[in-house]
Amino acid sequence: MTRSISAIFTRKYVLVLGLLFAVSLAAFFVFGQLLRVQVSPEIMNLSSRERMLTHRIALYAVLLVDPGEKKPREEVRRLLADAVADLETGHQAIRAQTASSDILRWGWFTDGRLSAQLAELDASISSLIADARAVLARPEGDPLLRRLVPSIVDRATRDLSQNLDDFLGTFETINREQGEYLHVFALVGEGVTIALLIFSGLWVFRPLVRDIDTKIRQISHLENYYSAIIDNVGDGVIAFDKTMTIGYVNSTVEAMWRRMADDLVGRPIGEVLPEVAAIDKLFAVPRRRSEFMHQKPDGTNVIFDASIYVLKFEGDLQCIVSLRDITERKDLEDRLRTFFYGIEHSPMSIVITDTHGVIEYANRRCAEVSGYALQEIVGQTPRIFRSGQTPIEVYQELWSELMAGRDWYGEILNRRKNGDLYWEFEAISAIKNEEGAVTHFIAIKEDITEKKRQAAALIETKRASEVANRSKSEFLANMSHELRTPLNAIIGFAEIMKMELYGAHAIPTYREYSLAVFDSARHLLGIINDILDFSKLEAGKVELSVETVGVRDLVQSVLVFVKDRADSTGVRLDVVESEAMSRLPGINVDPLRLKQVLLNIVGNAIKFTPRGGTVSVEAVVNQDGGLSLLVKDTGIGMSEDDIPRALERFGQVDASLTRRYEGTGLGLPISKTLIELHGGTLRLTSKEGHGTTAIITLPADRVIHEVLRA
């Protein structure tokens, strides 16, 4: 406010108040004077008693002359003397009361009448008292007594009574006139007062009320203004007195506690905020700050940053608590602390620079790797690590990528403080603020010196291994070639002997021997062929001769080839006949290699299926346009853990199987590699005791979507 309330009372207000005070003082003086000249009721009582005493004096005077038998003469004389004395005393009291009322001085009220009446009354009283004393002074039997008594009686009953009546009549007239004057003065005073009040109301008090109303509106506006500020500061505000009773809460506290202010005001602070109530000597410290965890009524925990102020208001101590919910900030601080410790103790070197490349932060690992102290790194640029052996084009590319807003990844050869060179793989990116502007750059660097040394050793080892592998493959190929030549001769001669082309054997056992030689030679030839194929595949020397073939024809040719083996073991072969099989598309594959895969898989299925079992072949077109060939058997199966082992080279599910079932363990690995050369996959599903399903999948680019007829 621009002015205080006391400034409202200007000169005109003081002037009007002075006039009202003067009028009130004059009225008080006039009323006082009028009341003083009023006839006192005491005068009226004394006049009545004076009349009674004069009659009593007349009576006692008569009794003194002729007492009769009623009273003794001495007693009558005593009573007369007392009455005279009382009359004299009472008349003096009347004169004193009359003098004290100033009625004689205000002649404009009495008009001189009261003074004349009082003089006549004084003369009559004095004459009566003189005659009575003369009677008392005469001895009994004095003839003068007979003459004085009638005079006393006549004066007391007639003259003195008339004087008293006139005196009292004058008093009554004066009282009536004074009442009329008082009434007129009261009317005039009321008029003047009303006029002054109207004048004051129009000229003084109406502006005064207007100013006061303006000030009240200003105070109300300020109250609403400050209340709105407190409600919108974002912090909760609670005020309570020394009795720990809440007197005020703002809207933020209502939102925090989800309770209205009317429900909180008047409650003990310990019920709403027990953590503050528990503070020792709360009102002894004018200002303090505290952080504490508070459990809300719904069971959730929040962390408050409380600023507590103690002040005096209207003589009483008040406590104001400002609450700020810092739960999210504390969580963020914890996360930032975790991030900082994570960066500080990271096994990678981490460097943060400003946009000019000046290092603002480096972690411990950076100091350990480079050999520089952190104090030596901070404030420098990354040039401190340069070895001078990294091409300048690398740095140009680095800054070009960063300025374009992209991340940069690469290897840089740096130099330690002691001069040793070391390799680092660096990932550098920009740090942007909320507006997307680049404020810093961060580099995460890994010392790959040892990795590069190991990688070089691995490359050398791999090269040596490849040389050895090629030597092994060449050796196996040469050995296979050398073995196949005599084996073919053995197989040929054994077959001639088995078929008895040059005549029957003289001894039947020879025929069995020739059959055993033939089967063993063929089995050995198969092993040699598998080893040779695997060596070629491993050496990458197998090339596909792609042709377009029909799936049905390919499957039928394989089944015809293995039919004799299946019949001899009591296994039934089955091709799933359906409309889909007859309308299957053609495929672009190496028919020889794909037939080799199917022969391996179908052969394994027959081998591991007991007598009375079934081996079926099914072909389906996949949703992606690819083709799947499914070979299912009802054989012994295997567990899921054994499937990867079955696909490994020379892998056998169980060592005991090598004694029961023949095989090198190369069939499935060769088949898998050949299918992968076609861009497909070979996978197995099996359950022990329930058979196995081999799924050959060829990609869509190998499939021709039109029917091929034989």
Side-chain angles (χ1 to χ4, degrees), residues 260-510:
M260 298 303 294
D262 294 339
D263 188 30
L264 295 172
V265 173
R267 293 185 177 274
I269 187 64
E271 179 182 327
V272 178
L273 209 58
E275 296 82 4
V276 172
I279 295 177
D280 188 33
K281 298 180 180 179
L282 178 61
F283 285 87
V285 180
R287 179 177 298 179
R288 73 176 79 198
R289 242 181 126 173
S290 176
E291 288 185 6
F292 54 82
M293 181 176 290
H294 173 77
Q295 187 176 46
K296 297 172 69 175
D298 59 2
T300 58
N301 291 324
V302 295
I303 301 175
F304 284 130
D305 178 9
S307 297
I308 304 172
Y309 306 93
V310 177
L311 52 88
K312 267 193 176 183
F313 179 74
E314 295 182 351
D316 295 327
L317 286 176
Q318 299 285 328
C319 185
I320 299 176
V321 181
S322 176
L323 298 171
R324 177 168 297 178
D325 187 348
I326 59 171
T327 308
E328 292 185 2
R329 192 187 79 188
K330 281 294 184 182
D331 181 60
L332 180 60
E333 288 177 356
D334 291 340
R335 290 170 60 192
L336 289 176
R337 192 178 296 109
T338 302
F339 293 156
F340 173 76
Y341 289 148
I343 293 174
E344 187 69 12
H345 299 285
S346 172
M348 303 286 187
S349 297
I350 299 177
V351 175
I352 298 176
T353 72
D354 61 15
T355 54
H356 300 290
V358 177
I359 298 174
E360 295 185 358
Y361 172 81
N363 68 347
R364 298 178 182 177
R365 180 60 179 169
C366 180
E368 293 172 0
V369 172
S370 66
Y372 289 97
L374 291 176
Q375 296 82 355
E376 295 176 304
I377 297 174
V378 175
Q380 300 292 327
T381 65
R383 294 186 183 90
I384 191 175
F385 307 122
R386 283 191 180 181
S387 65
Q389 298 186 27
T390 302
I392 191 64
E393 292 79 13
V394 173
Y395 296 106
Q396 292 174 347
E397 177 192 357
L398 183 156
W399 283 107
S400 176
E401 291 293 304
L402 292 179
M403 291 297 102
R406 295 186 293 268
D407 299 339
W408 182 85
Y409 303 90
E411 297 179 356
I412 294 179
L413 182 61
N414 286 329
R415 187 185 302 275
R416 293 187 173 91
K417 184 178 181 180
N418 61 7
D420 293 343
L421 299 178
Y422 66 101
W423 283 95
E424 282 189 322
F425 177 81
E426 300 188 7
I428 306 176
S429 60
I431 299 176
K432 300 179 181 179
N433 59 17
E434 294 83 357
E435 288 76 22
V438 176
T439 60
H440 295 81
F441 294 107
I442 181 170
I444 301 176
K445 309 188 294 182
E446 180 185 6
D447 185 356
I448 59 172
T449 307
E450 185 62 28
K451 287 184 178 181
K452 289 184 75 69
R453 188 178 296 113
Q454 293 175 358
L458 287 174
I459 291 173
E460 180 61 27
T461 303
K462 182 175 180 296
R463 187 189 63 79
S465 175
E466 289 174 349
V467 171
N469 195 45
R470 283 196 299 270
S471 299
K472 177 200 69 175
S473 298
E474 292 174 358
F475 170 75
L476 289 175
N478 293 331
M479 288 298 296
S480 298
H481 178 72
E482 295 297 328
L483 290 172
R484 286 171 71 181
T485 301
L487 273 176
N488 286 328
I490 293 172
I491 291 171
F493 289 129
E495 188 175 9
I496 291 173
M497 294 172 64
K498 181 187 72 166
M499 296 176 64
E500 298 178 334
L501 294 178
Y502 295 103
H505 293 291
I507 301 173
T509 306
Y510 288 168

